[in-house]
Amino acid sequence: MTVNIMPASLTDFSGTLMLVGAGKMGGAMLQGWLALGLDPKQIAIVEPKPSAEIAALRARGVRINPVSVDDARVIIIAIKPQDAATVVPTLKLFAGAGTLAVSVMAGKTLGYLESALPCAIVRAMPNTPAAIGRGITVAVPNAGVTQDQRALADVLLGAVGAVEWVADEALLDAVTAVSGSGPAYVFLLAESLARAGAAAGLPADLAARLARATVAGSGELLHQSPLDATTLRQNVTSPGGTTAAALGVLMAADGLDPLMERAIAAATRRSRELAG
């Protein structure tokens, strides 16, 4: 497994990058590519209902819903999985022998994509912090992906955060459960912490502000610190203190670990079911 956290420039990209689906994830990636120097005139967007922000990119030379794209070097598939049956087969018209398709659709396997597209394919699972450039994406290539294409995919996916690569596609179900769905678990922690604070007597609005700032600040500390999560936790915990009392509950045999294991197992199973 390899990781990239320092995306390179896209100023030397040649050909056309075709973005299919410019919703929240596609839009976040698009902004990342532009920030890395990709020429707007090299971008073609297929989006039936472009937002005002996306539509405004026409003035910079971005092609929106073009009739044809003759030189699609990369096709980024960022549509909802339920739209795949309608949209993916139409992309065969744009995919040549040298084209790279990168799919960020949840649940749609390499096998499914290979049955529709005659080109090299990367399947990737990003997460929602990509919206602020702090996402993490796990990607897996099919056998047709060259080293140069993998490097290009690494740069494109790295525009919205860190990138890790795996060789075993089956791992993406657990990836989906941990990092793909993981932001929701963190938001739930903030909700739960706020409710517990209110139950302990704090005004509800104050408890919500304290929980939000604590989760956000702790996440940023974890991001910036060279220390691992275990060490950071230990550094906050004084023997016999208030933190230790709370952790005694959370780290009990029936505490957070077994609960999280059941949650991840449930999400992993559901990911496999959705993939068919």
Side-chain angles (χ1 to χ4, degrees):
M1 181 180 292
T2 58
V3 61
N4 165 56
I5 57 174
M6 294 295 288
S9 170
L10 285 172
T11 55
D12 59 352
F13 179 85
S14 61
T16 294
L17 187 153
M18 186 174 175
L19 173 62
V20 183
K24 291 182 179 179
M25 185 58 67
M29 296 174 74
L30 174 61
Q31 293 305 317
W33 302 329
L34 292 171
L36 289 179
L38 182 61
D39 185 344
K41 295 182 178 65
Q42 293 179 279
I43 301 171
I45 297 175
V46 177
E47 173 54 60
K49 298 179 180 178
S51 66
E53 183 179 15
I54 295 297
L57 292 174
R58 282 195 181 97
R60 297 176 60 184
V62 173
R63 288 166 279 167
I64 300 179
N65 295 320
V67 175
S68 63
V69 176
D70 297 326
D71 58 345
R73 181 178 175 191
V74 180
I75 301 174
I76 306 291
I77 308 172
I79 59 175
K80 296 178 180 179
Q82 55 266 39
D83 295 330
T86 301
V87 176
V88 173
T90 69
L91 302 181
K92 185 176 181 179
L93 297 173
F94 309 101
T99 302
L100 170 66
V102 180
S103 170
V104 296
M105 291 187 295
K108 295 304 179 183
T109 65
L110 287 174
Y112 170 85
L113 295 163
E114 288 167 346
S115 69
L117 301 175
C119 63
I121 299 171
V122 167
R123 179 185 170 196
M125 172 52 61
N127 64 2
T128 56
I132 58 168
R134 288 281 299 277
I136 187 163
T137 300
V138 177
V140 58
N142 77 346
V145 175
T146 67
Q147 286 298 315
D148 286 345
Q149 288 175 324
R150 173 168 162 155
L152 176 57
D154 199 67
V155 173
L156 293 170
L157 295 169
V160 291
V163 181
E164 300 218 15
W165 291 84
V166 295
D168 184 0
E169 184 183 9
L171 293 176
L172 287 194
D173 294 312
V175 167
T176 300
V178 174
S179 59
S181 300
Y185 315 154
V186 177
F187 301 147
L188 177 60
L189 173 62
E191 293 180 72
S192 182
L193 188 57
R195 285 192 291 266
L202 289 173
D205 58 342
L206 175 59
R209 291 196 300 273
L210 292 177
R212 183 186 184 110
T214 299
V215 170
S218 300
E220 187 61 26
L221 177 59
L222 182 60
H223 173 68
Q224 294 192 22
S225 175
L227 303 176
D228 60 23
T230 298
T231 302
L232 289 171
R233 170 181 57 77
Q234 292 170 341
N235 288 348
V236 181
T237 309
S238 300
T242 58
T243 306
L247 290 177
V249 176
L250 293 173
M251 298 177 70
D254 60 347
L256 184 59
D257 271 6
L259 182 63
M260 186 60 73
E261 287 176 9
R262 294 200 301 275
I264 296 301
T268 301
R269 285 195 303 272
R270 185 56 180 156
S271 179
R272 290 172 182 151
E273 291 168 359
L274 290 173

